[in-house]
Every structure is written in C-alpha cells, then in structure tokens.
Amino acid sequence: MDSIMGTETPGNANHRARPRIATLWLGGCAGCHMSFLDMDERLMDLAPRISLVYGPLVDRKEFPDQVDVVLVEGAVANEDNLHHLQEARKKSRLLVAFGDCAVTGNVTSMRNTQSSAGVVMDRSFVENASLHPGVPRSGGILPRLLDRVIPVHQAVPVDLFLPGCPPSADLIFYLISELLEGRSPDLSDKLKYG
Amino acid sequence: MTGEELLAAAEKEQAARRQAKYCVAVCAAAGCHSLGSTSIREIFQKAVNEAGLGEQILLYGTGCLGLCHAGPLVEIQRYREDSWERWLYHHVNEGMVAEIVRHHLGGDQPLAQFLYPLDDPFFRSQYKIVLENAGRINPERLEDYIGADGYSALWKAVSEMTPMDVVREVTQSGLRGRGGGGYPTGLKWSTVAKSKGSRKFVVCNADEGDPGAFMDRSILEGDPHRILEGMALAAYAIGAEQGYIYVRGEYPMAISRLKTAIRQAEKVQLLGNRILESAFNFRVDLRIGAGAFVCGEETALIGSIEGNRGTPRPRPPFPAEKGLWDMPTLINNVETFANVPAIVRNGGQWFSRIGTEKSKGTKVFALAGKIVHTGLIEVPMGISLRQVIFDIGGGIPDGKQFKAAQTGGPSGGCIPLPHLDLPIDYESLIKVGSMMGSGGLIVMDETSCMVDVARFFMQFCMDESCGKCVPCRAGTAQIYRILEKISSGTASLHDLELMEELCDLLKHTSLCGLGQTAPNPVVSTLRYFREEYLAHIEQKTCPAGVCRMGAPDAACGSAEPVQEKENCL
Amino acid sequence: MSVKTLMINGQMVSASEDQTLLDVLRENGIELPTLCHLDGLTPIGACRLCLVELAGSNKLHPACMTRITEGMEVTTHSERLVKYRRMILELLFAERNHFCSICVINGQCDLQQMGYDVGMDHVRFEYQCPAVEVDASHERFIMDHNRCVLCTRCVRVCHEMEGAHTRDVMGRGGSSRIITDLNQLWGKSGSCTGCGKCVQVCPTGALFEKGRSAAEVVKQRDFLVYIKTAREKHLWIQ
Ligand SMILES: Cc1cc2nc3c(=O)[nH]c(=O)nc-3n(C[C@H](O)[C@H](O)[C@H](O)COP(=O)(O)O)c2cc1C
Ligand code: SF4
Ligand code: SF4
Ligand code: SF4
Ligand code: FES
C-alpha cells in the first residue's frame, strides 16, 4: 500500500520507471474515487506497478509535473475546478474523464436549468436558508461558481472517456491495466452510463 | 354564365375602360396601404366628385404596383388612339391629390414634378405575366378580371380542350413549380391525372412563410380570381372537383379578397356545378393556417388541412399518389397557378419562348435589404443578378459596396460579388450553393456580417422546426448555439468543425426540406466568407462591426467564469 | 403474396412484398437502432436512426417506412450511416436530462442501450439543459419530460390502441411537449383510462409507474402486436 498511497521517492531508479498516476476530484461526489478503492485486493497488484503521485488519496498540495495518466472525477463547476483541471491537463500526458460527472456533467450540472450562478447562489443561500439568509461575501472562502457546469471535455482536451456512475472497479482496473500494458483500452463494448 | 356571356362581359368592361377619360388606379396592396393609400383613395374619389369628374373617371384600388419604397403610388391611364398612356405618381399625399385632380384629370396637364419616370430601368427590365393585372384591375371586382381576359382560358379549356390537352399545354410551356423546388408542373399534373383514386384534390399552397417574402400575398391580394382560374384549370386537367387554398392567417386581406372572389365566381357559375354550362364541377374552399413555416411543406400542409398537427411525413408516397385523405392530390404554389391562365390562353409555346432553356417564363421577386428600390418585381428567367440589383433595384444605397445577395430565404444561400453576372434560373442558383426559393431576394452590403446573417436564418429554422425528427429539432439548436458562440468570439476551431459536421448531418438525415436545407445559409456563407468566420474565432473581431464580441455568455456549457456580480462571491 | 429478392449489404435475401425493409433486416439478423418505431404502431419515420442507403437514390431512407421492391440494393452500416446514428443519439442525449444515474429505468432503457450499441462514450455537443417539468399528478404514473425524446410512441398507442387520444404533442421544435388532453395535468385528465399502455411503450424513463425501483421495471410491449393482429383478423368477433 505504501507506494500507492505515498509519493514516489525521487532518485530511486526502480520507482522512477513506474508510470506516474494522478487523480483529480472536481465537482463530483467522490463516488468514483470510492469505486477506485473498490478495486480492493487488485490495488495490491497495481501498487508495485504504478506511482500514485497526486489526488485526494495522496497528501500533496501541488499537482506535480510529468504525470503519465490523470483520472479526473467530477464536472467543472467553479473557478477552482477549472484552474485545477487546466493545470492537470498541462502537466499530464493522458487525461481520462473518469465517471459520469466528468463525462456528461451528470448531477452536478443539473443546476444548469437555472439561468446563472447568481440564481443558484440565491436559491441556496437566500431562498432556502432558514437561518441567516445571505450569500457569503468574504473573498477566498468559496471558489466562484461558473455560470454553467460543464463536462471535462468542454474545458480541456480529453484522451479517454470512462463513463459510469460510478465506473465499476472492474472497469477502472481494466483501464489502468491496459494502459500499463501499453495498450489503448477499448471501452466500446463495456460502456455503462449511470 | 355561359361562354358567350363571359365574352360579352369582357367586351363591355373593356369598352368602359377605353371610354373613361382617365382610369385612376390607387395601389391598395399592403405596402402602400400601410403608407395610407386607403385614405388617399377616398380623398381622391371625393376630389374627383367635387370636380364634377365622377362620371368620366374610373377610380379603383389595385394590386401591388411594385415600387413599394415610393408609396403611396397612383397610376393614371388613358386610352388614346389604340394605345394606353400611363403616368405614375409616387409618394402621393393629400395636397398632391387636389393638384392631380385639378391639373391632370381636369386639365390634361400631368404634373411632371410628381411623376416617376416609367422608362426607368425599374420598369423597362421587368416582364409581367403573373402581375400583368396590377394597375389594371380592382381585385374586388370580378368584372374587372373578366375585362382583362379573365376566365377566358377556363372557357377555352372546357369548351375546346380535353383534360389531357390542358396537361400537354402546361407541359409544353416548361413551367416549373414556383414554391421553391422547381419541379416541372406539367409532369406533376400528368402524374396526378394518371393516379387512381375515387376523388382527387387540387391544393394551392399559399402559406408563404419565408421571412421577408410577400410575392404570393401580393398575387392573392392583387388578382385573386387568377388563382381560382389557375386552380380550376388544374382541376379540369387532373379530374378533381374540390380544391383548397391553404392561406396563412397572417394574411387577412388576402383571405378577405379570396372569400369575395370565391363568392363572386360561385354566383355566376365560374365555380361550383356545371361551370360555364359544361359538365365540369369544381368547388374551392379556404383553409386558414396558423402561421407555422413548416405547414408550407406539402405533407405537413396536407396534415393541417385534414385537421391534424402540421408535421411532415416521409415521402414516398408523394401527394400526387396519396395526398389529402390518401387521395391523389395536386399541390402547387400560388405563383405557379397564377401562370396557368396565361399559358392556356396564349399557348405553352408562347410561354416557353420566355426565359432560359430549362427555366421558362418569369419569376416574381421581393427585393429587400440594402437596396434602393425595395419592392416587388417580375423578371424573365435568365436575367442576371446584376441587372436585378443594379438596374431594377437601383443598386446599394448610401454609396456602400455590394457584398452578397441571399435568395431562397432560410433554405437558400448567399451569392457573392464574383457571381453577380449569374443568370437567374433554377440550375445556376443551385450550382453556386443557393436556390431559387419562392422569391425573396435580400441584398447585403459591406456593413452586413455573414456570421450574423447565418445566425439569423438558423434561429428562424430552429424556431420553426416542427420538432418531429431529431436531426432538425436538436441539430438546429446546436448549430445555432455554435453560431452564437462564434458571433460572441467565444468559439474554437473545434466548434467550427463540429458545426460543419452537423450541417452535413441535417442535410442528409432530416425528414423534410426544412431540416435538409436549414444548413444552407451556414454552408454557403462558409463557402464564400470563411475568413469572416475565422476572424470571429481566431482574432475575436467582427470585420463588419456587427457582432458584439465577448458578450456575456449565459448559455449552457460556457467555460468562462462568471462576471463579478453583487450576489456572487 | 408475391416474393421479392433484394440485396442487403451484398447478400441476396428474399422477402414477402408486404414487409417493410426493417422487418426484412431484422429477420435476417441485421440490427438497426430504432426509437420511434415499435411493432404494432403506425410508423412515422421521425427518429432517423434506421436510415439506410438504397442504390440509385441519393437520399437516405428510413427502413421502418420503406416498402421493399424487387432488386432493391440496401446498405445498412456504411461509414457515414454509422456516424450519423451516433450523432443523432448524441443530439438526443444533449437535448434534455438523460443522466442515467438518477433514472428510474436505468438498465432497462432503449435509449441507453442504443448509446452502448453505437459506442457513444461521450457527447460532443453542449448539453442544452432546458428547465422542463415533471407531472406526478396521476395516481399511478409519472411523466418526467426531462427524459422524453418525443418519439410519440405514447401518443400513438393511446390513440391507436387504447382509443383514448389523451396524449398529443404541443409546441414546435425544441419546445415541443407531450401533453395530456388540452395540456392539463395527467391526474386531471378526463379521457385517460389509466390503462398504462403509454408507460409500457415509452422507450425511456419519461413514463413510469409510481413506487417501483429501477430494478423492478420491465416494459411489456408484446401486447401491441397481439392486439393489432387480433383486430386485423377480427378475432374478437369470432
Ligand atoms: C419547410 C418548407 C416550407 C415550404 N413552404 C412553402 C410555401 O410557403 N409555399 C409554397 O408554395 N411551397 C412551400 N414549400 C414547398 C412545398 O412543399 C411544395 O413543394 C410546393 O408547394 C409545390 O408547389 P410547386 O410545385 O408549384 O412549387 C415548402 C417546403 C418546405 C420544405
Ligand atoms: S426536418 Fe424539421 S420541420 Fe421537417 S420533419 Fe424534421 S423536425 Fe419537422
Ligand atoms: S394510461 Fe392509457 S389512456 Fe392514459 S394516457 Fe396512457 S395510454 Fe392513454
Ligand atoms: S413520453 Fe416516452 S413514449 Fe412518449 S414521446 Fe416521450 S419518450 Fe416517447
Ligand atoms: S425507427 Fe425508423 S425513423 Fe425512427
């Protein structure tokens, strides 16, 4: 588990050769990450073969350079999401839209039926508030919402799409294994939405 | 009424016109009407009566005189030594009326300062068949139409021709459908004539829904009996006893004129049973549309007449085989029918000598946009676009440069400067990526942005899509959305690619002509003005200065952060 | 009934004259996605998923409404047809809310299955996200317009099979809506018999029964052909 949860040790030739994998958590419920953990004992198979260098499962603040594969969970809902995604795209070779929210916007994007972020903020912090209605104003606490929630591929180029809410652990394992084998995973007969 | 009575009535009317001191035709079409021509007519009549000329002057309202931008128009005619003299007064107001009555009608002194020169290219380059009665008849008097040889073609048909003779005459004329597609009319007639069915129907498509088009309306308002006669000839030719005119509810004046005309014709047996004492029966009823563009599509129109929701259905079967209540049905456009009486009267040969090899006769166009003479014109097929725009249309106002002309409305395309000398006919227009359409001609100058033009038409198609088939219903919305992004400078080259794919999809997979042709304005502006699209996308500028760049983008899918707003963080 | 021979994707096939091209294709194991078509209902050729190429015609033809003719040469899966089908599905998924994760018939949905069949791993178009209603006023059924693809199967079954004509379409283009009676709440409809046929034929989660979870939903559609055949052969009166 150590090497999966931790970061790789620079300078260790053995570790350096392992593909550097990152995960990113945007506007989603973390279910896709849970499904990742649901790979259970297969995580043990993967552990020696990859380096998990960034993500909610890793204690690291900055998205590192030279990532081989990044799995992006969640839709792009606010400025932070957008910023992190763009950063990840710049620093990663292969970007996977990971789960329905990333692929379609899914539940996260259902606020798009409202005309703008302002309406959504009002609805959440004023109309439906029972105590102290009011939109929080002090800067830097909450990231600013985008007017519309968008799927990952509408913000940055995406290399692979892995739909599912969440994608099953089997599929995730398949995808990573194929990538490790140097093959491009073919999901066309394994699609599942929802 | 018998044939002899018809001829006698015509004779009488013509004599009355010849004997009048002057005939005064006040344009009563919508353009001039909106400029107050109706009260001008009343004032005229009063002035004539007061001058004691009531007996000698024939004063009447008439159909569109064409020069709509210069209305109200009044045409004065006098028969002298076997020919007609004509004068056209423009921008007529109350003060002018008094002077015209006093000097021109009373003293035979035309007022040169108020006259529009009739040798102007606007008139010289036109050729009138469909609009031949504009200025000549009062559309609300059957006698006027009869006086202009009206119903003589019908008399000729029922008295000396077999139905097949009529079909042959129309076939020989080379007439093609004026509703847009240009399908050979004779061929359509002979198909319906041969189709088996216990009943057959004739339908006149008067739904005219193209934005800016008013050709059909002008014909209906200006010469309603002409349509009835054309339909009766068609009914005789194909063996139908019932006809419908499907006219949009937004045309109340056309509807009222048609109602009047039908009542008049029925009263004297020009419609109804035993027409002109022959064995031919034919009734016409009006069906009023609710103003959906798609109801002009023939299968949707049929559905609408049957009382169903107006949505197209796949063809085959074509209406010629299975139309109204699954019976063989002939559907033609207003202008198509309007050509028929002249063809039967003068012979198909006569008609086929006008126009080009494959496009015969004339075409009515409504000139609109950045052009000096906006209005209604009728020109022989084969005339060049340059002649239409610069001779007849008077060119571009304010010394601006011509950029492109749009024909075919939302189904058509734009024609840029290098193709100005193109002869107007069905085939050449298609070759350059546009189409004849029903006759709207919109001129654009350097201040028009082609992306904006495409966006306008796509919005029209999106709003007018009937919603039945997916490519059109959802595809027009997606194309529109991309155009919106392009014109606000927020689109990428990838969006452009996606839009071109969508255009291809709609063209090939939509159920009816609306969806199939909806991409045309986009495709043709891309073909000739791609650099303008690229300027919007890459430089984020609108070369014509029309589009507002970086406009706040509230629609779905924007990756732009929200603007600083009061109630936001 | 006379027999015709046609060529489908290069294979000779025989069929009887009263069959539609779609019947013949299915009989020969060639699957096309179909959404508006349902055996037993009048075909309308609206979804455009079953379009095929016919030799000698430059247009594409909906197999569900195409009568077969002798010597007809049919191509069902050319590169562009495959591409068009996927695009049409993408357009549908982007048109309203088709997020399967929160749908009552997730796993039983025709639309979802078609997405899988054409290998649609994502939608390239912008999601339109319109604000549309859910009508839960009926005591047993719910109509969720978010899931409706406007195939009008429900309209046709209600009119043709149940004879109630409770349902119809209102509006144009993207704002088209399936309505009950004169755009009243379903629960207030005077004409609906509560037969549930519309719920059975709906290809998506737009029409569903209250109180059933996704796993319990099974759409029954055999009754259509059963009723239609009985009607045509006058089996009621024998
Ligand atoms: C969306 C759509 C709208 C149409 N609108 C009209 C119309 O307003 N008037 C018309 O005459 N034809 C219209 N047409 C063409 C008709 O379907 C039909 O071809 C025509 O009326 C046949 O008459 P024609 O042969 O005399 O042209 C339309 C077609 C489409 C696809
Ligand atoms: S192409 Fe458009 S207007 Fe024609 S049937 Fe399809 S949705 Fe209706
Ligand atoms: S339940 Fe039956 S009657 Fe009611 S709308 Fe559905 S099909 Fe029609
Ligand atoms: S409710 Fe269902 S059956 Fe009816 S049109 Fe919508 S998707 Fe089709
Ligand atoms: S199934 Fe044939 S068009 Fe929908």
Side-chain angles (χ1 to χ4, degrees):
Chain A
M1 270 328 253
D2 215 345
S3 62
I4 274 212
M5 299 305 236
T7 53
E8 99 279 11
T9 331
N12 182 328
N14 234 354
H15 280 177
R16 196 71 196 84
R18 294 185 203 164
R20 289 156 60 84
I21 296 195
T23 68
L24 192 60
W25 181 24
L26 307 178
C29 70
C32 298
H33 274 86
M34 294 301 150
S35 197
F36 187 93
L37 292 180
D38 272 348
M39 280 194 283
D40 297 338
E41 70 279 3
R42 282 172 293 187
L43 287 170
M44 306 305 277
D45 299 344
L46 288 179
R49 303 169 65 197
I50 64 171
S51 281
L52 194 61
V53 294
Y54 181 83
L57 311 172
V58 177
D59 185 17
R60 185 176 201 161
K61 290 269 182 294
E62 290 293 315
F63 197 92
D65 290 329
Q66 294 180 353
V67 167
D68 292 301
V69 181
V70 59
L71 304 180
V72 182
E73 174 195 322
V76 186
N78 59 36
E79 284 186 347
D80 269 12
N81 292 160
L82 187 60
H83 171 76
H84 286 135
L85 178 61
Q86 282 164 344
E87 194 70 11
R89 177 68 272 188
K90 258 187 247 140
K91 295 177 172 175
S92 313
R93 218 158 44 80
L94 201 96
L95 187 146
V96 183
F98 176 36
D100 275 353
C101 293
V103 174
T104 71
N106 204 18
V107 178
T108 314
S109 71
M110 280 173 60
R111 72 153 155 100
N112 287 351
T113 55
Q114 307 301 309
S115 55
S116 70
V119 175
V120 173
M121 293 300 273
D122 269 349
R123 182 119 183 95
S124 321
F125 288 95
V126 182
E127 286 171 38
N128 288 340
S130 43
L131 280 177
H132 315 303
V135 177
R137 267 167 224 277
S138 40
I141 297 179
L142 290 178
R144 206 155 62 169
L145 294 188
L146 299 181
D147 258 347
R148 311 294 275 181
V149 179
I150 54 174
V152 169
H153 66 274
Q154 277 173 24
V156 299
V158 168
D159 302 296
L160 275 173
F161 294 89
L162 182 61
C165 186
S168 68
D170 289 352
L171 267 186
I172 302 171
F173 184 72
Y174 167 77
L175 180 114
I176 296 177
S177 314
E178 287 293 288
L179 289 175
L180 288 177
E181 295 296 327
R183 288 192 291 262
S184 177
D186 178 11
L187 296 164
S188 62
D189 59 343
K190 300 180 185 58
L191 289 173
K192 196 185 146 294
Y193 319 141
Chain B
M1 184 179 262
T2 63
E4 289 71 26
E5 284 164 359
L6 181 77
L7 296 182
E11 196 50 49
K12 182 169 154 234
E13 277 306 312
Q14 286 160 9
R17 274 178 65 81
R18 283 196 294 263
Q19 279 151 20
K21 183 171 183 203
Y22 287 101
C23 301
V24 178
V26 182
C27 183
C32 285
H33 174 77
S34 66
L35 293 167
S37 73
T38 311
S39 69
I40 292 288
R41 188 163 87 225
E42 284 158 13
I43 295 163
F44 232 115
Q45 187 68 58
K46 209 163 135 230
V48 165
N49 292 346
E50 281 167 6
L53 294 166
E55 300 283 290
Q56 307 159 52
I57 306 285
L58 265 182
L59 190 135
Y60 50 91
T62 196
C64 183
L65 294 173
L67 212 58
C68 303
H69 72 286
L73 298 168
V74 175
E75 185 175 317
I76 296 188
Q77 304 152 4
R78 177 168 66 174
Y79 190 75
R80 256 257 175 110
E81 288 149 15
D82 290 345
S83 71
W84 285 91
E85 282 178 275
R86 296 167 59 221
W87 300 268
L88 182 69
Y89 289 98
H90 62 105
H91 294 107
V92 177
N93 58 36
E94 206 175 326
M96 285 162 67
V97 171
E99 293 199 48
I100 296 171
V101 172
R102 177 143 30 96
H103 297 292
H104 192 165
L105 302 185
D108 293 334
Q109 296 292 325
L111 300 163
Q113 72 272 31
F114 300 143
L115 284 174
Y116 202 94
L118 287 169
D119 56 355
D120 188 278
F122 181 83
F123 298 104
R124 267 192 294 119
S125 311
Q126 293 199 47
Y127 190 113
K128 303 221 168 174
I129 298 176
V130 167
L131 301 174
E132 64 183 349
N133 287 340
R136 194 163 143 194
I137 67 164
N138 173 355
E140 295 188 316
R141 281 190 83 229
L142 169 62
E143 297 81 354
D144 279 22
Y145 181 66
I146 291 176
D149 290 330
Y151 290 107
S152 65
L154 183 60
W155 165 237
K156 180 174 168 187
V158 298
S159 62
E160 358 170 320
M161 297 167 84
T162 65
M164 264 345 257
D165 287 341
V166 177
V167 172
R168 219 169 289 128
E169 213 61 65
V170 172
T171 307
Q172 198 182 36
S173 75
L175 176 65
R176 293 169 65 173
R178 301 293 194 237
Y183 190 83
T185 306
L187 186 57
K188 201 189 262 185
W189 286 28
S190 81
T191 310
V192 187
K194 286 175 197 147
S195 291
K196 301 237 179 320
S198 55
R199 300 181 70 192
K200 292 183 187 179
F201 298 97
V202 172
V203 176
C204 173
N205 188 342
D207 193 54
E208 194 170 52
D210 293 25
F214 55 92
M215 300 73 57
D216 294 349
R217 188 189 67 198
S218 300
I219 298 170
L220 295 170
E221 290 176 357
D223 207 353
H225 282 287
R226 193 179 192 84
I227 305 303
L228 299 181
E229 186 178 4
M231 289 176 72
L233 287 163
Y236 180 73
I238 65 158
E241 297 204 335
Q242 174 69 48
Y244 293 99
I245 303 177
Y246 188 88
V247 52
R248 52 177 31 224
E250 288 92 330
Y251 285 178
M253 194 195 275
I255 292 170
S256 112
R257 299 253 159 94
L258 282 169
K259 279 188 181 157
T260 308
I262 292 172
R263 194 158 18 86
Q264 291 167 339
E266 280 175 348
K267 209 161 160 189
V268 295
Q269 247 178 298
L270 287 165
L271 284 181
N273 289 341
R274 299 187 34 75
I275 289 171
L276 292 166
E277 304 284 322
S278 72
F280 170 53
N281 308 326
F282 182 55
R283 284 183 51 85
V284 175
D285 286 304
L286 293 187
R287 286 291 177 268
I288 315 296
F293 175 57
V294 74
C295 284
E297 196 281 338
E298 53 188 23
T299 58
L301 186 147
I302 286 172
S304 182
I305 292 182
E306 288 175 350
N308 298 321
R309 187 176 151 81
T311 52
R313 61 153 175 79
R315 304 170 302 178
F318 287 89
E321 228 183 298
K322 278 190 171 191
L324 274 173
W325 298 286
D326 283 348
M327 296 295 163
T329 302
L330 174 74
I331 302 188
N332 276 129
N333 167 258
V334 171
E335 193 182 331
T336 313
F337 281 124
N339 274 295
V340 170
I343 290 172
V344 175
R345 199 176 339 120
N346 303 325
Q349 282 250 308
W350 160 80
F351 191 85
S352 71
R353 283 195 291 267
I354 310 158
T356 67
E357 194 199 332
K358 286 189 173 157
S359 303
K360 302 296 186 192
T362 60
K363 181 77 196 78
V364 180
F365 285 100
L367 299 184
K370 308 285 176 55
I371 189 162
V372 173
H373 300 155
T374 52
L376 192 73
I377 60 164
E378 182 173 357
V379 289
M381 294 277 191
I383 192 172
S384 77
L385 203 56
R386 186 186 298 278
Q387 273 173 289
V388 168
I389 294 170
F390 288 93
D391 296 352
I392 301 180
I396 316 297
D398 309 326
K400 295 258 169 35
Q401 282 293 310
F402 169 84
K403 185 170 188 177
Q406 172 91 15
T407 62
S411 318
C414 67
I415 304 164
L417 194 62
H419 291 305
L420 252 189
D421 289 306
L422 188 83
I424 297 184
D425 64 36
Y426 291 98
E427 277 72 25
S428 1
L429 286 176
I430 286 174
K431 209 153 50 187
V432 298
S434 186
M435 61 183 258
M436 180 77 80
S438 54
L441 204 159
I442 302 168
V443 180
M444 290 164 279
D445 69 9
E446 56 197 285
T447 64
S448 313
C449 165
M450 300 319 274
V451 177
D452 192 56
V453 168
R455 195 172 63 98
F456 168 80
F457 284 115
M458 191 51 64
Q459 178 164 30
F460 179 83
C461 292
M462 174 175 78
D463 291 344
E464 292 297 331
S465 160
C466 81
K468 177 171 176 174
C469 74
V470 186
C472 170
R473 182 182 77 227
T476 50
Q478 292 289 351
I479 298 177
Y480 176 73
R481 175 69 194 125
I482 296 177
L483 287 168
E484 216 175 39
K485 281 170 78 177
I486 296 177
S487 54
S488 62
T490 55
S492 65
L493 287 172
H494 174 72
D495 288 322
L496 185 64
E497 233 171 81
L498 210 53
M499 181 168 78
E500 294 191 88
E501 271 189 59
L502 280 165
C503 288
D504 175 67
L505 177 82
L506 263 66
K507 177 175 176 200
H508 291 106
T509 65
S510 296
L511 193 162
C512 86
L514 196 158
Q516 288 160 6
T517 60
N520 285 357
V522 178
V523 172
S524 88
T525 48
L526 264 173
R527 173 168 166 188
Y528 296 116
F529 299 96
R530 197 177 190 90
E531 72 290 346
E532 249 181 74
Y533 280 83
L534 294 178
H536 284 78
I537 295 169
E538 290 175 331
Q539 279 95 50
K540 312 216 177 298
T541 53
C542 172
V546 174
C547 304
R548 280 198 314 133
M549 290 294 136
D553 187 353
C556 183
S558 152
E560 306 290 316
V562 279
Q563 308 295 311
E564 194 74 57
K565 276 191 216 124
E566 250 253 86
N567 57 355
C568 275
L569 286 167
Chain C
M1 199 58 65
S2 83
V3 173
K4 311 266 180 201
T5 318
L6 44 165
M7 182 87 88
I8 298 175
N9 299 334
Q11 298 280 315
M12 294 280 268
V13 156
S14 68
S16 84
E17 151 184 82
D18 62 336
Q19 288 182 297
T20 65
L21 184 53
L22 184 66
D23 294 335
V24 179
L25 292 173
R26 296 227 156 126
E27 204 174 88
N28 288 279
I30 298 165
E31 280 305 322
L32 289 182
T34 54
L35 194 54
C36 61
H37 176 271
L38 194 61
D39 276 339
L41 296 179
T42 308
I44 53 167
C47 73
R48 319 304 283 165
L49 285 166
C50 70
L51 291 180
V52 296
E53 291 167 8
L54 299 183
S57 164
N58 55 8
K59 298 219 151 168
L60 302 177
H61 299 256
C64 64
M65 286 193 76
T66 302
R67 295 263 136 215
I68 56 165
T69 54
E70 181 62 38
M72 190 178 243
E73 283 180 46
V74 190
T75 307
T76 60
H77 285 81
S78 67
E79 199 181 318
R80 69 170 177 151
L81 287 175
V82 169
K83 177 177 148 192
Y84 289 158
R85 278 179 205 132
R86 169 167 171 164
M87 285 179 82
I88 290 172
L89 282 167
E90 285 178 66
L91 284 174
L92 280 172
F93 273 91
E95 191 179 25
R96 292 188 185 176
N97 179 327
H98 293 290
F99 301 134
C100 305
S101 54
I102 43 161
C103 181
V104 286
I105 69 160
N106 184 5
Q108 303 288 330
C109 172
D110 291 2
L111 184 67
Q112 188 184 44
Q113 185 59 47
M114 274 176 241
Y116 300 159
D117 292 345
V118 302
M120 188 190 85
D121 61 357
H122 75 293
V123 169
R124 294 171 302 158
F125 309 122
E126 281 189 8
Y127 288 89
Q128 295 191 40
C129 322
V132 287
E133 321 70 37
V134 177
D135 179 353
S137 60
H138 194 276
E139 61 171 330
R140 286 166 47 219
F141 310 123
I142 294 182
M143 164 101 210
D144 180 356
H145 292 275
N146 286 291
R147 313 291 194 191
C148 175
V149 292
L150 295 167
C151 68
T152 72
R153 284 185 187 183
C154 57
V155 176
R156 282 171 287 151
V157 81
C158 187
H159 173 70
E160 296 171 12
M161 292 293 164
E162 183 60 8
H165 203 132
T166 300
R167 299 192 166 277
D168 214 317
V169 189
M170 181 182 82
R172 277 208 284 268
S175 45
S176 301
R177 292 283 184 280
I178 300 295
I179 50 167
T180 36
D181 287 348
L182 295 171
N183 194 24
Q184 284 144 282
L185 287 176
W186 195 356
K188 297 257 160 67
S189 163
S191 64
C192 174
T193 63
C195 70
K197 290 188 171 73
C198 52
V199 176
Q200 298 303 326
V201 301
C202 179
T204 70
L207 287 169
F208 58 97
E209 258 178 276
K210 286 184 176 171
R212 281 194 194 226
S213 68
E216 296 167 323
V217 174
V218 187
K219 298 242 169 177
Q220 304 216 339
R221 289 164 189 160
D222 299 351
F223 74 93
L224 284 172
V225 178
Y226 176 75
I227 295 179
K228 187 163 178 261
T229 314
R231 225 181 242 174
E232 278 165 5
K233 303 209 163 132
H234 299 287
L235 295 181
W236 315 129
I237 43 179
Q238 270 172 16

